[in-house]
Amino acid sequence: MLLSWLTGLGAGVIFLHLLQKLLFPYFWDDFWFLLKVVRYGIKMEMDKRRGHLDTVLEKFLRQAERRPRKAFIIHEGDIYTYQDVDRRSNRVAHVFLNHSSLRKGDVVALLMSNEPDFVHVWFGLAKLGCVVAFLNSNVLSNSLLHCVRTCQPRALVVGADLLGTVEEILASLPTDVSVWGMEDSVPRGVISLKEKLSTSSEEPVPHSHHAVSSLKSTCLYIFTSGTTGLPKAAVISQLQVLKGSAGLWAFGCTADDVVYITLPLYHSSGALLGIGGCVALGATCVLKKKFSASQFWNDCKKYNVTVFQYIGELCRYLCKQPKREGEKYHQVRLAVGNGLRSDVWRQFLDRYGNIKMCEFYGATEGNICFMNHTGKIGSVGRTNCFYKKDEPMRNEQDWCSRVKKGEPGLLISRVNTKNPFFGYAGSYRHTKNKLLFDVFKKGDVYFNTGDLMVQDQENFLYFWDRIGDTFRWKGENVATTEVADVIGMLDFIQETNVYGVAVSGYEGKAGMGSIILKPNKSLNLEKVYEQVVTSLPSYACPRFLRIQEKMETTGTFKLQKVQLVEEGFNPLKISDPLYFMDNLEKSYVPLTQELYEQIILGEVKL
C-alpha cells in the first residue's frame, strides 16, 4: 500500500514538474529573482525604520574601512585602492571646505572624462553634502552654457582635457559660479584644483556634512536629451542612486568580479550601475577613458575582467572586428547593458562564447525598470503595462486602453508615493510634460517613457521604437529640435526638419536634416558642416542633408516626418538633392548612388 502511494506521489510530482516546464517555463527563474529583489526591499525598509538611511557614499566608506587595500579602480595600468580613493576624495572635500563658500545642499557641476578624478571629485563633493551635476563631456558652446545655467551651480569642476571647451563660454557663465580646473596651468578666471589638492588634508570629513534625512533628497543631476529642445537635468534622488547601484548584484555579480566600464560616467549606466554597483559589492572596476573595439579583449585578458557594461552599439562594433584566434579564451561571464539587437546578440554569443547577456531597460529619470534575468534573446524583461500608438488612445469614456499582446504600445508607469517621479531641475513645465493625467481613472498619474514596447505571449517585453521628436544614435538620444535650431541659425536657412533614418548594419537611426533655403540664397555646405560640429555633440550631427522646396505639415501644423523617415536617404528614390557628412573634406558632399551603396555595404563608416 505504502509503495503504491509513494509511486503515485512520485508520478504526480513528475507530472506537475513537466506541466510547470510546459506551461510556466520561467516560473522558478522569476520566483528566485523576485525573492532576491523583495529581500533587498525589506532590508531597505528595516534600515529606514531603525533610522539608518544608507547611501552609496556610506557603502563606499564601509568598503574603504573593510577592504582598504583592495583595488577599486584600475585606469591605464594604475591601481587605486578603496583607501586611495577615500583619501583623495577627502582632499577634494577639504579644498572646498577651506577655499570656497560651498555648503551642504549646494550644486556643483562636474565636466570630466572617464578618469579616476571623476570619482574623486564626485565622492569628495558628496562628503560635503553637495548635489553633483554630471555634464555631458560632448556638449559644446550654447548647449553647455544652457546645462550650467539649468542646474544653477555654485561651482564648476573641469577636467584637464576639457578646459578648452569651458574657456569658450567662460565669459558668459554666471558671475557667482567659480570654475575649478584639474590642471596646474589653467586659463585666466579658473582656479587650479590640482594645485590645492597637493597640500590638502587626507583626514575624514565630519559625518554631519553628508548625513541625509531622507532617501528622497536630491543626490545628483544627470542630463538627458531634451525631447523638445536642449538637455534637461533629471533630478536623481539618493533612493534612485541606491537602486541603480543594486543592478550588478541583482544580476549575480559579487565582490570577486572585475567590471570593465567603457561607458561615460556622466550617464546613469556608467556612474550608478557601474561605479555605484562596484561600491555596493566591494568589487573592482577597470575604467576606460573611451571605448576601443580593437583594445577591448586585450584589456579584458590583461585585467582578468569578468563582467563588462555595454550598449548595443558596443557589441556590434566588437562583432565587426577582424576575427582572431582564441577569441573565446577569456574570463568574462556576464555583460550588463541595454539596446542589444537580437541578431547582434546571437552573433556575439556565437563568436565570443558563453557569456550571459543581462539586458535591462530603464530611463535615467524614470520610475520603472525591467531586467532580463532569464537571458531571453532580444527581450528587456517581463511585465504587462502598455498603451497604444504614439499617443495614449482614449475610449468613449475618455480613459486609456491597454494594447493586446503582440501589438506595440506606449510604456508608462504609475506615479505614487512608493514609485515617485522626481522630475527635472528648472521649470515645472519639463516635469509636467513627462506625465499623463487621468489615464484609467480620475486623478491617477503616470510617467510617460516615450518608448514603444511589445509584449509577447510569454510576457517578455521588447523595445520597439522611440516616439516624439527624438531618436537614438551611437547610444545617445538626439533631440531633433535642438539640432534644427542649431542649423536654423545660419542666415541662408529658412526652415529645418530633423529626423532619424535607418541605416543597414547600425543600431538606432542616423540624423538627417531636411532644409529649405531662403529666397535668393545659396547653400553653403562647408558652413553647415562647421555650424553643426562646433555647436553639437558628434552623435547629434546630421549625417545626411536633403534640400526641399517646401515641407509638408500635419493637421496641427507640425512638420511631417513620417514620410521622410520612410523615404530614407536613397538617391534612386528621392529626387531632391542629397548630401553626406564628410569629415575628411570638412563639408557635406553630394550623396551619389555609388556613395550610397558604399554606406549600405559598410565600406564608408558613419
Side-chain angles (χ1 to χ4, degrees):
M1 183 68 180
L2 180 61
L3 181 60
S4 62
W5 185 84
L6 290 174
T7 302
L9 179 63
V13 170
I14 292 172
F15 173 75
L16 289 175
H17 177 71
L18 293 174
L19 191 65
Q20 176 257 311
K21 285 287 187 182
L22 180 65
L23 299 180
F24 308 102
Y26 302 100
F27 175 81
W28 290 110
D29 287 333
D30 290 343
F31 175 79
W32 292 117
F33 185 79
L34 180 62
L35 184 63
K36 191 174 186 178
V37 174
V38 169
R39 284 170 55 197
Y40 183 81
I42 291 173
K43 182 182 181 302
M44 286 184 63
E45 186 62 29
M46 294 297 289
D47 286 344
K48 181 180 176 182
R49 292 187 179 185
R50 287 197 297 263
H52 175 65
L53 297 180
D54 211 7
T55 64
V56 168
L57 178 61
E58 297 290 352
K59 289 177 182 289
F60 167 73
L61 293 174
R62 286 201 300 274
Q63 300 290 9
E65 185 177 342
R66 291 173 183 170
R67 51 190 89 201
R69 292 178 178 79
K70 180 171 181 179
F72 174 26
I73 299 173
I74 300 174
H75 179 73
E76 295 181 354
D78 294 327
I79 297 175
Y80 301 79
T81 66
Y82 276 88
Q83 185 179 73
D84 292 335
V85 175
D86 184 32
R87 289 177 174 175
R88 178 77 167 176
S89 58
N90 284 341
R91 285 178 177 268
V92 172
H94 282 291
V95 166
F96 286 103
L97 271 177
N98 297 326
H99 299 281
S100 79
S101 58
L102 283 180
R103 296 181 180 179
K104 187 175 183 178
D106 285 344
V107 178
V108 179
L110 178 58
L111 181 67
M112 298 184 81
S113 303
N114 279 20
E115 55 181 295
D117 275 338
F118 185 109
V119 181
H120 298 148
V121 175
W122 169 16
F123 286 8
L125 291 168
K127 288 177 177 180
L128 297 182
C130 291
V131 175
V132 184
F134 296 160
L135 301 181
N136 187 327
S137 56
N138 293 299
V139 172
L140 306 170
S141 60
N142 289 334
S143 292
L144 178 58
L145 190 60
H146 160 83
C147 292
V148 175
R149 288 171 173 167
T150 297
C151 61
Q152 297 181 317
R154 294 286 308 279
L156 167 62
V157 181
V158 188
D161 58 330
L162 294 168
L163 282 168
T165 301
V166 170
E167 194 171 9
E168 295 177 8
I169 63 166
L170 211 52
S172 302
L173 288 174
T175 54
D176 60 343
V177 177
S178 60
V179 182
W180 301 71
M182 193 58 77
E183 183 67 280
D184 289 319
S185 177
V186 294
R188 186 175 181 181
V190 177
I191 307 166
S192 173
L193 176 57
K194 187 176 181 181
E195 179 185 324
K196 287 182 166 46
L197 284 173
S198 61
T199 57
S200 184
S201 171
E202 291 183 345
E203 291 301 307
V205 177
H207 182 265
S208 58
H209 283 288
H210 58 260
V212 298
S213 57
S214 170
L215 289 180
K216 292 184 178 180
S217 61
T218 303
C219 178
L220 302 167
Y221 288 135
I222 297 182
F223 281 83
T224 65
S225 296
T227 55
T228 55
L230 293 164
K232 297 179 294 187
V235 177
I236 309 299
S237 67
Q238 296 283 357
L239 180 62
Q240 287 169 291
V241 176
L242 269 178
K243 287 181 177 179
S245 70
L248 295 182
W249 166 82
F251 276 127
C253 298
T254 71
D256 295 326
D257 280 308
V258 177
V259 183
Y260 191 33
I261 303 175
T262 65
L263 304 184
L265 296 185
Y266 58 75
H267 272 332
S268 54
S269 288
L272 308 191
L273 182 69
I275 297 296
C278 287
V279 166
L281 295 167
T284 299
C285 77
V286 177
L287 183 63
K288 188 80 169 176
K289 183 173 183 178
K290 193 174 182 180
F291 168 74
S292 168
S294 61
Q295 297 173 16
F296 185 90
W297 290 111
N298 289 337
D299 284 347
C300 286
K301 293 174 182 178
K302 179 179 179 180
Y303 299 114
N304 299 315
V305 170
T306 57
V307 180
F308 72 83
Q309 285 189 269
Y310 70 84
I311 55 172
E313 194 77 355
L314 184 153
C315 294
R316 188 184 66 81
Y317 286 146
L318 292 175
C319 289
K320 292 284 186 181
Q321 285 293 293
K323 290 190 175 182
R324 296 184 293 183
E325 286 187 16
E327 288 185 329
K328 294 183 178 180
Y329 297 123
H330 53 74
Q331 297 183 46
V332 177
R333 64 185 187 88
L334 289 176
V336 182
N338 53 34
L340 185 57
R341 283 195 338 233
S342 297
D343 57 335
V344 178
W345 192 323
R346 291 188 179 90
Q347 185 182 355
F348 187 86
L349 294 182
D350 288 343
R351 181 165 173 181
Y352 295 112
N354 187 26
I355 301 172
K356 184 178 180 182
M357 309 304 289
C358 302
E359 182 85 359
F360 71 90
Y361 169 88
T364 296
E365 71 276 40
N367 66 341
I368 187 170
C369 177
F370 304 128
M371 302 178 77
N372 180 356
H373 58 91
T374 64
K376 179 71 177 255
I377 291 180
S379 171
V380 300
R382 289 152 69 94
T383 194
N384 56 10
C385 185
F386 293 90
Y387 291 84
K388 196 166 186 175
K389 297 188 179 178
D390 287 6
E391 297 295 333
M393 295 292 289
R394 304 272 178 175
N395 58 24
E396 293 81 0
Q397 289 76 39
D398 203 33
W399 303 121
C400 288
S401 54
R402 291 180 172 86
V403 298
K404 297 177 182 178
K405 290 183 178 180
E407 295 181 0
L410 178 65
L411 176 65
I412 65 175
S413 175
R414 182 76 179 269
V415 177
N416 51 37
T417 54
K418 288 187 177 180
N419 204 30
F421 169 57
F422 294 96
Y424 305 96
S427 173
Y428 175 68
R429 175 175 56 87
H430 297 310
T431 298
K432 187 177 179 182
N433 287 343
K434 289 295 288 186
L435 298 174
L436 298 173
F437 301 91
D438 302 332
V439 178
F440 290 120
K441 61 183 181 180
K442 191 70 176 176
D444 64 6
V445 182
Y446 281 76
F447 171 72
N448 179 0
T449 66
D451 290 327
L452 293 177
M453 309 281 273
V454 172
Q455 183 181 16
D456 68 13
Q457 296 302 317
E458 293 183 309
N459 293 327
F460 281 100
L461 298 177
Y462 302 84
F463 177 78
W464 186 264
D465 202 358
R466 290 284 296 169
I467 65 170
D469 294 325
T470 182
F471 60 89
R472 200 158 176 81
W473 179 249
K474 302 292 186 183
E476 302 273 2
N477 287 331
V478 179
T480 60
T481 48
E482 179 187 3
V483 179
D485 288 345
V486 166
I487 296 175
M489 293 177 184
L490 294 167
D491 59 9
F492 51 86
I493 303 293
Q494 178 170 302
E495 195 162 21
T496 308
N497 188 7
V498 177
Y499 48 95
V501 293
V503 183
S504 177
Y506 286 87
E507 304 278 351
K509 295 181 177 180
M512 187 164 186
S514 177
I515 292 173
I516 294 180
L517 298 174
K518 288 181 178 179
N520 304 318
K521 292 283 186 177
S522 58
L523 177 65
N524 188 323
L525 294 169
E526 290 183 354
K527 280 193 174 181
V528 177
Y529 178 90
E530 181 183 5
Q531 176 74 353
V532 297
V533 297
T534 55
S535 304
L536 294 169
S538 59
Y539 58 80
C541 295
R543 267 47 185 180
F544 306 100
L545 297 179
R546 175 174 177 171
I547 312 303
Q548 292 187 288
E549 293 184 0
K550 66 175 183 177
M551 290 187 186
E552 301 295 330
T553 58
T554 66
T556 55
F557 304 103
K558 293 182 179 179
L559 293 175
Q560 178 64 258
K561 298 177 186 281
V562 176
Q563 186 176 347
L564 294 173
V565 170
E566 290 177 352
E567 290 174 352
F569 60 101
N570 188 343
L572 286 182
K573 295 182 179 179
I574 301 170
S575 58
D576 298 324
L578 300 175
Y579 298 93
F580 173 68
M581 186 180 195
D582 191 324
N583 290 317
L584 292 177
E585 295 291 333
K586 298 191 182 303
S587 179
Y588 283 88
V589 298
L591 180 59
T592 62
Q593 185 61 29
E594 180 184 3
L595 180 54
Y596 170 81
E597 290 173 358
Q598 289 175 329
I599 293 170
I600 295 300
L601 293 172
E603 295 173 0
V604 172
K605 306 297 182 183
L606 300 188

